């Protein structure tokens, strides 16, 4: 397009322009956008070429208003800086995109108030579905979601009565299982938790302590750090813990990043892992098998969570019956060199 033929500022390329460039009707352009499988391959290719040449981008919002669908799904996650939720988000994105839906992500920062604020903003935009990390505890927020009638999947948690549908695992079961592993299988008797101060981490810590004590072990008061916890918090957490519980011989960390910080600080202090102290993380990040020693951790199948969440959302958005509203993906303790 030459400078003299450029469109004046403020004038948008429309379906009419695309139809003229492709030599087809506006109805054919509309079908190419909304029902491409209904067109012959050569016609579809001609329309796509015209769209590329003119720079036309379909107005999905306007189309969604006409069809009563936004083709958007909103997901709320505690943090975008940590890698633990990325497999879930990546799987959600690809599975929904394959069915013509786009995923928009909001960060709550482990704050229920922030989650409710974001939820209000999202509900006002009427997405076709909502994905929550964890379960919604606020009665007011639950009422708003139910009143909106939008399909919701709560993830990374497990309760018997979700708002709508749920895909996750039991944090209490994780804590208890790690305690049994350290006490019954590894013979550790003086345990502790270094963990984030978020609700799900605290639930794992409480279950860990209860199970360990029932097995005859002692558990020091937990060392809590602000969530999302980073590597440096693991180092400072171990320093603080050893000042008041120097004989601790087994530690559960609420994330692999915290556990990595603990391993680094232990090495700096000459504390042998696992000889003097066993360390268990949570998440089984890619770095876990490359630490020295390799990190024993709890593996969560984030991809499976994303896959099931997308499938449930698509079923609910298409008003299909569900075989089950609650899906427990479980977890696994991956034993490596640190415990």
């Amino acid at each position: 397009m030459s400078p003299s033929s450029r469109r004046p500022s403020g004038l948008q390329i429309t379906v009419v322009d695309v139809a003229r460039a492709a030599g087809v009707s506006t109805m054919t352009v509309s079908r190419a956008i909304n029902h491409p499988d209904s067109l012959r391959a050569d016609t579809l290719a001609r329309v796509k070429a015209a769209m590329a040449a003119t720079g036309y981008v379909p107005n999905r919002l306007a189309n969604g208003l006409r069809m009563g669908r936004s083709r958007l799904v909103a997901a709320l996650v505690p943090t975008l800086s940590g890698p633990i939720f990325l497999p879930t988000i990546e799987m959600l994105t690809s599975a929904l995109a394959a069915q013509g839906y786009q995923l928009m992500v909001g960060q709550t920062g482990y704050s229920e108030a922030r989650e409710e604020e974001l939820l209000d903003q999202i509900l006002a935009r009427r997405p076709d579905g909502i994905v929550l990390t964890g379960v919604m505890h606020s009665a007011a927020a639950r009422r708003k979601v139910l009143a909106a009638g939008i399909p919701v999947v709560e993830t990374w948690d497990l309760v018997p009565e979700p708002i709508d549908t749920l895909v996750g695992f039991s944090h209490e079961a994780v804590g208890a299982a790690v305690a049994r592993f350290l006490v019954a299988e590894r013979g550790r008797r003086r345990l502790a938790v270094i963990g984030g101060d978020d609700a799900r981490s605290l639930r794992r810590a409480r279950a860990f302590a209860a199970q360990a004590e029932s097995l005859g072990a002692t558990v020091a008061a937990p060392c809590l750090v602000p969530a999302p916890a980073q590597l440096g918090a693991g180092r400072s957490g171990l320093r603080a813990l050893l000042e008041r519980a120097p004989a601790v011989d087994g530690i559960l960390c609420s994330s692999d990043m915290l556990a990595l910080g603990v391993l680094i600080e232990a090495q700096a202090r000459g504390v042998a892992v696992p000889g003097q102290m066993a360390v268990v993380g949570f998440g089984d990040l890619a770095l876990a098998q490359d630490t020295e020693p390799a990190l024993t951790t709890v593996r969560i199948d984030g991809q499976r969570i994303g896959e099931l969440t997308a499938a449930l959302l698509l079923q609910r958005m298409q008003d299909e019956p569900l075989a089950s509203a609650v899906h427990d993906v479980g977890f696994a303790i991956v034993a490596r060199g640190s415990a």
Side-chain angles (χ1 to χ4, degrees), residues 225-237:
V225 299
Q230 301 300 323
L231 184 151
R235 297 197 65 173
S236 60

Side-chain angles (χ1 to χ4, degrees), residues 151-276:
V152 176
V153 182
E154 294 164 288
T155 64
W156 283 80
D157 213 331
L158 196 66
V159 292
E161 296 183 1
I163 295 175
D164 187 3
T165 56
L166 184 148
V167 180
F169 59 94
S170 169
H171 292 271
E172 288 81 3
V174 168
V178 174
R180 288 192 296 271
F181 170 79
L182 285 174
V183 177
E185 295 187 33
R186 294 298 188 261
R188 306 296 167 154
R189 310 299 297 174
R190 298 176 297 277
L191 307 183
V193 170
I194 297 177
D197 58 1
D198 59 284
R200 289 179 291 279
S201 172
L202 291 173
R203 284 163 49 204
R204 291 196 297 274
R206 286 193 291 268
F208 174 82
Q211 181 69 73
E213 289 170 352
S214 75
L215 295 171
T218 60
V219 183
C223 180
L224 301 179
V225 299
Q230 301 300 323
L231 184 151
R235 297 197 65 173
S236 60
L238 182 60
R239 288 196 295 268
L241 176 63
L242 292 179
E243 285 180 5
R244 53 185 172 80
V248 65
D249 64 2
I251 298 176
L252 168 62
C253 299
S254 67
S255 72
D256 284 355
M257 289 303 294
L258 269 179
L260 177 57
V262 168
L263 291 179
I264 293 171
E265 184 64 22
Q267 185 179 54
R269 287 172 167 262
V271 177
V273 177
Q276 294 173 248

Side-chain angles (χ1 to χ4, degrees), residues 30 40 44 49 58 62-63 69-70 99 121 127-128 135-136 150 176 180 185 218 245 275 302 328:
S30 178
R40 285 172 30 185
L44 180 60
N63 184 60
R69 296 282 187 177
S70 66
Q99 299 300 319
Q121 296 173 10
D128 289 341
V135 295
M136 181 64 70
I150 297 172
R180 288 192 296 271
E185 295 187 33
T218 60
D328 184 354

Side-chain angles (χ1 to χ4, degrees), residues 247-335:
V248 65
D249 64 2
I251 298 176
L252 168 62
C253 299
S254 67
S255 72
D256 284 355
M257 289 303 294
L258 269 179
L260 177 57
V262 168
L263 291 179
I264 293 171
E265 184 64 22
Q267 185 179 54
R269 287 172 167 262
V271 177
V273 177
Q276 294 173 248
M277 182 177 69
V279 178
V280 179
F282 176 83
D284 195 24
L285 303 182
L287 61 83
Q289 61 185 339
D290 296 323
T291 61
E292 181 54 45
L295 180 64
T296 294
T297 186
V298 178
R299 176 180 294 160
I300 306 298
D301 193 342
Q303 277 197 328
R304 181 61 175 158
I305 292 176
E307 180 182 34
L308 284 172
T309 298
L312 286 173
L313 274 178
L314 290 167
Q315 285 181 276
R316 289 283 289 108
M317 292 186 296
Q318 295 163 12
D319 296 320
E320 296 177 1
L322 299 178
S324 175
V326 177
H327 295 261
D328 184 354
V329 301
F331 59 90
I333 295 177
V334 182

Side-chain angles (χ1 to χ4, degrees), residues 58-139:
N59 187 334
R60 297 293 184 185
L61 177 59
N63 184 60
L65 291 173
R66 288 194 299 271
M67 303 294 292
R69 296 282 187 177
S70 66
R71 310 300 290 184
L72 289 175
V73 171
L76 299 186
V77 296
T79 177
L80 295 172
S81 62
I84 191 167
F85 300 113
L86 289 182
T88 298
I89 295 300
E90 289 172 352
M91 179 57 72
L92 264 177
T93 301
S94 60
L96 292 172
Q99 299 300 319
Y101 290 87
Q102 299 299 312
L103 186 73
M104 58 180 180
V105 181
Q107 179 174 275
T108 64
Y110 291 94
S111 164
E112 286 191 15
R114 175 60 177 158
E115 183 177 59
E116 290 186 32
E117 178 186 340
L118 272 177
L119 192 59
D120 283 346
Q121 296 173 10
I122 286 168
L123 290 174
R125 289 164 172 79
R126 289 299 187 271
D128 289 341
I130 297 174
V131 178
L132 302 175
T133 303
V135 295
M136 181 64 70
H137 296 287
S138 162

